[in-house]
Amino acid sequence: MTKVVCSHTNSGDKKLKITHVECHPECLVIVFQAQCNAECELDYHILQKEIQRVFKVKDDICVGGSCLVEDTEGEWHRGRVLRKKGNIYEAFLIDTGHVLAVEETHLAAACDELFQLPPKVVLGVFASILPLGERWGPKAINYFSSLVGLQITGHVKAVTPYQLFILEVPKIITDVLELKLGKFIDGDSFCLLLTLNNSEKPGDFWHVPDQLFPCLPVGSKENVKITGAISPNKFYCQIQKWHKELEYLTGAMHLYYEALVGENTISCDSLGLLCAAKRQSGQWHRGVIKQFLSDHVEVWFMDFGIIEAVPPSCIWKLKAEFMTLPMISFPCALSCFGSQDETAIKFQLKELTQALIGQTSVCIHVDLYNNTERLYYITLQKQNVGINADTVLNCKPCPDRYTSSESYSGNKDTKTCLPERDILFSSHCKREEMQINSFYGAFVVYVINPSDFWIQTCRYQNEFQALMKNIACTYSHCRDDEMVLKKPEPGLLCCARYSRDGCYYRGVVTKVFRVSITVYFLDFGNTDTIPCHYVKTLLPEYADLPALAMCCSLACTFPVDGVWVKKETDFFKNVVLNKPLLLHVIEKQNNKYIVNVQCHTGFLQGNVATCMVQAGYAEYRLKPPDSVLRAAKKGHNWNHFKCKKEKMNTENTGNICKNKVSGNGDILQKEKSLNTPEMPTESVAPSCFGEGAMSKTHKSVCEEKLVYKELVFKPGAVYEVVCSCIFSPSDFSCQLQSKLPELNNLMGQIQIYYKNHTNPYKTGQVACVVKCSKDGKWYRASVVQQVSTNEVDVVFVDYGYRERVSLKDLQGVLPDFLILESQAFRCGLKNIVLQTDSLNWSEEVHRQFEDFISSSRGPLTCTIYALVRVSPNCLCNVVDLQTPLISVEEFLRERGLTQSEYIGLRNLSSLGSLYSFCYSSFNIKIGGEEEVYITHVNSPSKFYCQLNRNTKTLEALMKKVSDVSKMSNNANYQTSNTRLCIARYVEDGLFYRALAFPVESASFLSVDYVDFGNRGMVARDQLMPIPDSATDLLFTPMQAIKFYLSDLMGTEFPARITTWFVKTFLGKLLKAVILSRESDGKIVVELYDGQLKVSQKIKEKVLEELAQENRTEQFRSNEGGICHMEDDTEINKASVKDPEILKLKTEVKCKVYDVYCRTDTGENSGNEEQTACTTPKLCSGFSKQQTLPNCTGQQEKSNKNIPTLSSLPQRDIQVNTEVAGYISHVNSPSSFYVHFAEDENVIIKLADDLNETLENRGRENCLDVLRVGDLIVAEHDADCFYYRAVIKTLKSGKSYEVEFIDYGNAAVVSSSKICRIPEKFLTLPRFSVHCFLSSVTSVAGEKWTRGSAAYFARTVSDKPVACKFLQQHGEKWEIDVICNGESLSNSLLREIDSIRWKTKAARVKNTSVKPVSIFPQVLNSGQVEAAEVVNISKSGEFYVQLVKNSQILHELNVRLDKEARKSDLLKVDDIEQGLVCITQSERNLKWYRSKVIKKFIREKLILVFFMDYGTCEMVSLNRAKMLSDEIKSIPKQAVFCKWICFKNLKKIHLDHVVNALLDCEIRILFLRYLKSSSIWEVDILIGEVTLQEYLNQLLSHCCAIVGPEKCSNTNCKEFGPSLKINSLMWMLLRSGRTYPGCATAVTDPSNFSIQFEVFFDCMRNLSLLLSDLPDNLPALPEEHVMPGAICLIEFGLEAEWYRAEISEVTSQSVFLTFIDYGFLRSIPYSDIHKLKVLPESLLYLPRLAHSCSLHDTVPGKGEHWSDEAILLFQKLLHKPGLIFHFIHYGSEMKLEVDVLCEDSNLSDALIAAGHAVCSQSRCCPIPVDRL
């Protein structure tokens, strides 16, 4: 390489502007171009003119010489020749930075005068930095790319003869190290890497006192790190075994000398030889002064052998106590130059290069010590001390890094990719092969994932063992230069040394690099990159055995979420590794075998694919899924997967769609419906018979997979059954009597078909038809597992029998034979001691049970009492069987073989985990009377009741539910089922027992409140699983009983009748007379309210409604609208007493939209109508039609079938109902539209499904004439999406004004963009509610000013609000909107008065400020970005800045600075809450884009939010300026995120999370954007693992250190799921930095609170905000009084306001932590009304008090601090000038700090006084080196 020489003319500092950076991942050095001497621009211009005029002399120009070069346009430039090939020269133009290839005729010699001016463009290399690994990462490349345009100042280390500057830039080095983009290497070593010349003689080394010089015996070996390398004959070696001592010394020096910073510095010339100096890294080290510069001192650091320039203020005398440790680096030279062995020299130089690049430890052998030169001559050796190079480890080459959960095709670090296997197959090596449809004994040798793993068969194992012994004998003693593979190239066979165990294995070369070779190991399947000298020639005798590793993939097994993740791969490894396996080869694709794998040892046995599917770690498919991704066009940030059903034929129902249930790993992955109608449904449940079930956790295109549908029942259902198969009383199968004719008919068809046809069975298929060996008939069956090459275990799905049959007796099943469900369903008896093993049942019980079945002589009545999951894919129905005379329970009780129902239900747990709550008939007798309360109404004829006699049971239940709800989400309870849960009910905030079902939304679950009968949508964090220990909650029967009113069953009622019924009878004590119990379990009753018969009252009410409606219809028809309906006429004529009158009613039915939004998760609620009593209904909007002009009778006839708004179902909204929602469209405060939060996902799905339907079937535009009120779909111009709309008015031409009914906005649309609405979209109500704000009626008549309307829109825009519906006025609702705890009705009136005053003043000023908004960044679900965390809150919310946008952020700051110079200051009157502008920070005087939070006119201050940084600050009112549209167009640079795993953390403190986010490179996986709260739900990646996995590893490591007794207390306090806690951001601190501050509260050295000086201005701002609070702050609701809640409280003698966090709640007291001071106080529980809701403006300031603990310091005696220690510590903390040295975050975000006061460390003072000792064991903070 080119020799690097020092150029005195170019030495020193250079100021440059970077114009270009070349950064390639594989290139170690970063090359840049820069411009200098910008002030000499005129000189360069004159020079260029002069160059054109001078006479050009042709001459021979050597490489490296200066010349003049002519470009393609005939202009001449100064240049330098880079290389020459023939008559073509490559020249570098030194003033433009370009390289030109020109012929010799375009070159001319140049005189020296033309080169006196230095080059305008400087070429350079950033010195002293190298990548962390072998290549630069994407984050580093982004960083270096962002440097373009920046001004830098650097120190020139050297200049090559070709004028390449090696520039050391401190700022860049600091950034690279802090951002963890690369590693540091000293400048001399860096220069050496660029040259590595071997001609230099040993140079002069710096001398130190003899007592500091290390003494190493000749012949010894040491592990060292090479530093300060100037040449191979002049470098330093740092002794690694003393590295820990150096760290202790550095820490002590840091504490001592940092305390001196700021004092009077002693002049450098009086310091003497030895000194202590602060390096660029910020650490203090021992050094020797080399020379004095103008403003710096060059210091040689003795422990590193390197020289750095240090400011004089950072140099001090070296104290004597810091000279006890010898210098840990020593001067060296390579011994090899003493001989002329070129091979040895080449090898040593290569080892030196690798050691410098890797900055890793290397072993040296001390050959000689020259006392005169004080120089060690050494030889570099490959192997480190302590490892025996001759030892052959008995390991196979399967490195840990290959346990990656990623697929091989997506993992860039994994070398085992298809091209490399292709090289193997094209090489001369033989390879083992397997035959299709054959079986082999094998074992797995290497795993990437279940779709890519390598196996060896047992065929050659003896030969292979012998081969490995011979290879070890041949190669393990081989010297490095022996048998090295010559001229390596891809495809050559070799024997290579695996880096992990030092053993040699057969391989094939796949890639060749400069000093290393990538090798694919023939017998194991993995790869490794190995130094060239460890890749040996493979002897011919070792190539005879074929390559044994064969790549395989599990047949029909695919990842749940589209890519194999770590937990799935780990499960697969646990099953298959180190076990003998049986492989069945299905097919071969390219060079990969598709196999079925059987495992017969270990914890999981049988078919491996089946085990994975049953455990939920894989999906069973016949072919890979083709993902159908259809992004919503309407600006939503969700990606919706569409499931398109493909029919195999017109009757096929075997194609099963799967739904994605994301975000909750606790939800069972294979859901089965329990909320089905009383008749069995066709939903597919987990099969009891092996592989019959498909996972429902991934939503994709449904593929052809033949499975049988299962019968699923609801507890309480009653059927007539036939018992078909008995194994034991807890394991028998039944068939539905009603389905037997269908089964018999199907069996006949099967016999006929298979007698005359053959349909070969396909291996791997689940459903099949089997010929029974006993009767020769064909039966439907499911394959459980393959037990041998010719036998399988099957279960007869219609009878329950299990049998082992021959493969020749299997046939493929026709799709037509799949339509009928599997007729056998598994059962177990209740109220006997249940046992899962049939053999454990006594012969007596078994015989008695069979006697009962056989004596029944006919159908049995089966009542379903509960569902139990006995295995991942099998449900068992807990039942009671009954003959007309006796039940099996009574039969066995008479024989003493049963137990009480209480005990029996609890014994269900022995079968498995409950999949449903338990049913009870409560011994209700026909003809009896019961006092009941109606708890939920579907309709007046169908409702749920609770028995009055069960009141005490209900009270006990509620108490138990309340107790469980107060348990932390992170409590260590055990639960086997999250389907059974307690869920918060939105209307009262209390928890109730519920059964949870997944829906399409990742944020919500559908729940059935089993004790009340109603259903609702609940956010996932508002739900808690019932722990297994809460047996009362699990086994107490469901309290809600469904009743049917006797003579009104099946009747459909108008919504008004249902509403009246709810208002009249809900919650009222009534008398129910039990009339009958239907065969299907329905209980039919007559209901009485005192003496009033309820059914009679209902009939009377219906007739009243019909009469009034008839009058309305007549009026409307007279107005030219709707024709009178005949059915209504008939109803009016009918007698009032006629019980059939209601069945003639054909009015709009009470339909439910939540049936639509719930996807096919196995639930079927088609027969379960939901009504208005639990969820408010939406009003319909338009109620009256108007006819457009020019409508003829014929046209009216043609449009007769066009629906209107009245065609949609209506949902009544109850007066005074308060609903969470957000504003979808605003016209003014007198006219806006509201969305309910619970409808958000439904609205999105509606838009997607509507447009998909129109695309699939075509748009029906045959709507020639439309009338006002017609319901249609119309295209929205902004996104070209179609939405439901209603015609409002006719415009000119063929255009109409329409209102989009689900959003509220209006538009004028051409008739060509209007289509007929598909009928299925008439089942959903209108989703936007037209409203006006309460208390604004007084101004409703006035024209709203822009200011007041804008204020309202700005206040509610994109924010969750609470809407309280007060009164309906026509089609509009009067509501109050509560935003951030404040009623907008009041605040708007105040704003109106203010705006009126401003408007008068503005008439003179005639100026206004338009409100502007800045959009968030465009991110997509699934996008992964490197990011840096700005700040974080206690509830897991945080702001990040994306690394890729660092250049954008830099340019934005530059533009803001320019913008501020030319922009005018805003007028004080124009600054209002919500305004977006630019403001100047008082901390650094920089300008930032800001949003005004609050204005303080008297103090002339405003609180602003810096939207690009996620922080707040109080700035001057006179430092705010207008924001231009150009700057506004740049998206916000701070992204608001919420970590999805935060609430699932079990044993991990927030401090661990914070430390990880600060100390590790992180990437953000964006999952879902929550529009209502403007936040991204994200996961966090550290390296290739998630943050949660990383923290789990940390926790396990910590447990190993501190023991279980400490780790058991690591549960962080979790917030109650009822409240979105107003969490405050933590201002993140950086480890190792010092902060001045003062103590605010002191308990002891392990628990004290401090405030940092940097936050003192925040305290001032906080005081201003607290002094300006309104008088009517709302009280914190009682249900929100829970640990973790933030609130306000007035405290002290002067009754001042404080921010506080509730730390503990008892029945007597509430304990508060004052978060800005750190002290704790308690108030009586009766005073909780004094706790106030925290206003939004107070949420933006961070916590100002930090809880601290002295680092590494514990009590000297016992576990607690003595009074003397506390007194001394308090006295020390009261001193002024405290400096806090932050170490890391401890538990509960407590800061581990060292406290420095004057010249002493407070820990040392406590230890010296005998009150404390240094801790020797503590839980390590992140990062943990051993992870």
Side-chain angles (χ1 to χ4, degrees), residues 50-279:
E50 183 67 22
I51 289 172
Q52 310 309 313
R53 288 194 296 267
V54 298
F55 183 75
K56 309 301 187 294
V57 179
K58 306 298 179 183
D59 197 357
D60 287 332
I61 301 170
C62 62
V63 175
S66 298
C67 62
L68 297 179
V69 187
E70 186 181 27
D71 64 17
T72 56
E73 296 178 2
E75 188 167 2
W76 292 83
H77 305 269
R78 297 191 301 171
R80 187 171 59 250
V81 177
L82 298 177
R83 60 184 61 86
K84 176 184 178 183
K85 188 174 183 181
N87 68 336
I88 302 297
Y89 289 75
E90 271 191 16
F92 175 72
L93 309 185
I94 64 174
D95 296 321
T96 66
H98 299 119
V99 175
L100 286 183
V102 297
E103 293 182 353
E104 191 174 11
T105 57
H106 296 280
L107 257 62
C111 58
D112 293 339
E113 287 80 8
L114 295 177
F115 281 83
Q116 286 182 352
L117 201 60
K120 186 177 181 181
V121 172
V122 173
L123 268 183
V125 171
F126 292 131
S128 302
I129 51 174
L130 290 175
L132 291 174
E134 296 180 355
R135 52 193 286 142
W136 294 102
K139 191 175 180 181
I141 293 174
N142 287 342
Y143 169 78
F144 290 120
S145 300
S146 71
L147 297 176
V148 174
L150 294 184
Q151 294 280 354
I152 61 169
T153 300
H155 182 72
V156 180
K157 297 293 295 182
V159 184
T160 69
Y162 292 164
Q163 293 295 299
L164 180 73
F165 285 75
I166 301 176
L167 193 70
E168 198 172 65
V169 186
K171 173 69 168 62
I172 293 176
I173 294 173
T174 302
D175 287 348
V176 167
L177 297 180
E178 285 188 355
L179 298 173
K180 297 185 179 178
L181 306 177
K183 58 194 173 192
F184 176 82
I185 177 174
D186 63 274
D188 292 333
S189 299
F190 184 88
C191 292
L192 177 60
L193 275 178
L194 297 182
T195 60
L196 214 60
N197 276 287
N198 56 15
S199 59
E200 286 194 30
K201 300 296 182 185
D204 295 329
F205 290 87
W206 290 93
H207 293 278
V208 295
D210 289 342
Q211 71 269 21
L212 289 179
F213 195 85
C215 180
L216 300 174
V218 173
S220 65
K221 293 183 179 181
E222 285 289 345
N223 289 334
V224 300
K225 181 181 178 183
I226 298 175
T227 62
I230 298 171
S231 77
N233 288 315
K234 189 177 181 181
F235 59 92
Y236 283 81
C237 287
Q238 198 178 55
I239 303 171
Q240 290 299 282
K241 67 182 180 183
W242 289 351
H243 186 68
K244 205 68 179 175
E245 283 77 5
L246 178 64
E247 286 185 355
Y248 293 143
L249 174 66
T250 301
M253 292 177 67
H254 180 87
L255 292 174
Y256 179 80
Y257 289 108
E258 282 292 327
L260 300 179
V261 172
E263 296 186 7
N264 294 329
T265 308
I266 305 169
S267 62
C268 294
D269 55 359
S270 65
L271 292 179
L273 177 67
L274 296 177
C275 67
K278 189 175 185 179
R279 289 188 60 194

Side-chain angles (χ1 to χ4, degrees), residues 678 1491 1647:
E678 268 57 316
K1491 181 179 179 180
N1647 187 11

